[in-house]
Amino acid sequence: MRREHIDHELPWGYWLRAQLVDGKPMLVDDETGERWATLRQAFWCGRLGMPDGFNAPPDAQLELLHAVLALRARRGTIDSREERSDLFEGSWLFRANFLDWLGGVGILTAPPDVYHKAELTPEGWSALAMLHATRPDAVKTRRPSGMTVQDLVSLGLGPDPREERLAEVERVVAGWDAAFLRQVDAGRHSVVLVERGRGPVPTRQTVWALAFAAERERDDFYEWLCVRLDRWHAWSEHASSYNSRELTHKLLVVLASSLQPSGIDRPAMVEALGRAAPP
């Protein structure tokens, strides 16, 4: 079910028609006659040719696909070591096969052997919008609320001075269910992860904190986090589902894999992560 021309500004499947079939709501492709229960099923089974499994597309695989697309939408050129460490459990073969597959089906451009330069095709952008909008409730409850595809593409990026960009991120993410924020407490400069609870009164609580010796070091690390805004929802799960040390370890692994010569004082970040303690 591959279409020649797709409007990249509209979510994938915008051409499907809703219709009752045997009393059940279905999505019908008038060109092929195919019928699907959901957009995600139409994409996973009809477009990508993957098996239906338990009568529903697998959330984990679609979340990985979403993460790969979101990472490219957010950052453009990709650090292959960091992506392999963060998304593919360190497996070069897993990553290569996955990106080859997406290139082969036309979701990513497919320059041979240059995975870090693969970009979203128009259909890839359309698929990202659909996957972002149709996450099931079980996934939505574990991600920062309020993020839009536009936030993903532009929030905190651009030519503005660093402090203006970081402040813009903090302003927008303040209402999310989970967000990294800067904090000063008793003269200590920290980055904290704040989450909204799920009780009768969903108050916000700090579930992870990382202190730095100086404000500049703290802001260097926060900028590193903001560039990776697309990964916040996944990283926050390591604090809420496990414990704060799990998140510290995850960030240390990803940071180490992204080490490159730059103006940022990476050793200071690593040192701070190494001495991180639960809040």
Side-chain angles (χ1 to χ4, degrees), residues 17-274:
R17 177 172 54 85
Q19 176 182 322
L20 284 177
V21 178
D22 297 329
K24 297 180 180 180
M26 302 291 287
L27 296 171
V28 179
D29 188 327
D30 290 324
E31 289 188 6
T32 66
E34 293 175 301
R35 301 171 180 178
W36 307 103
T38 66
L39 278 173
R40 293 165 78 89
Q41 185 185 52
F43 181 68
W44 181 254
C45 303
R47 172 62 182 89
L48 299 180
M50 302 300 285
D52 201 9
F54 297 99
N55 297 317
D59 289 340
Q61 284 91 322
L62 285 174
E63 278 300 291
L64 176 59
L65 198 160
H66 178 274
V68 169
L69 298 183
L71 188 150
R72 281 159 177 76
R74 175 74 179 170
R75 303 183 220 172
T77 299
I78 304 305
D79 184 319
S80 58
R81 295 172 303 172
E82 180 179 340
E83 182 181 41
R84 185 172 67 243
S85 173
D86 192 15
L87 271 63
F88 295 97
E89 300 180 355
S91 172
W92 176 89
L93 185 59
F94 182 14
R95 176 176 180 267
N97 284 341
F98 199 84
L99 297 184
D100 277 340
W101 172 55
L102 292 183
V105 298
I107 302 301
L108 294 178
T109 59
D113 302 323
V114 192
Y115 299 117
H116 64 284
K117 293 184 178 179
E119 299 176 346
L120 277 67
T121 63
E123 186 175 19
W125 282 104
S126 184
L128 173 62
M130 182 275 291
L131 291 171
H132 196 83
T134 60
R135 283 172 145 177
D137 290 340
V139 174
K140 287 181 180 179
T141 57
R142 301 196 307 268
R143 70 178 179 94
S145 64
M147 183 191 292
T148 66
V149 172
Q150 184 59 41
D151 290 337
L152 192 64
V153 173
S154 62
L155 181 60
L157 304 177
D160 294 333
R162 180 168 84 164
E163 180 54 34
E164 292 183 16
R165 290 186 283 106
L166 300 187
E168 180 191 19
V169 171
E170 290 182 303
R171 177 182 58 80
V172 172
V173 306
W176 289 4
D177 289 341
F180 290 98
L181 300 168
R182 293 178 295 177
Q183 179 176 285
V184 179
D185 184 15
R188 298 178 64 197
H189 297 278
S190 303
V191 172
V192 299
L193 173 62
V194 177
E195 286 195 345
R196 191 182 305 280
R198 297 187 177 92
V201 180
T203 57
R204 295 168 65 81
Q205 57 185 343
T206 299
V207 296
W208 179 85
L210 181 63
F212 290 84
E215 181 180 7
R216 182 183 65 83
E217 294 174 359
R218 188 272 314 274
D219 289 351
D220 285 345
F221 180 65
Y222 193 63
E223 182 179 28
W224 183 88
L225 284 173
C226 288
V227 170
R228 292 153 179 82
L229 189 73
D230 54 288
R231 297 296 297 151
W232 282 18
H233 77 273
W235 290 346
S236 68
E237 292 178 22
H238 287 274
S240 56
S241 299
Y242 304 97
N243 56 57
S244 60
R245 289 188 178 87
E246 287 283 345
L247 176 57
T248 301
H249 178 264
K250 178 65 175 179
L251 293 177
L252 183 58
V253 169
V254 176
L255 178 59
S257 68
S258 71
L259 290 176
Q260 292 182 3
S262 72
I264 295 179
D265 188 359
R266 306 286 188 178
M269 292 190 196
V270 174
E271 179 184 355
L273 282 167

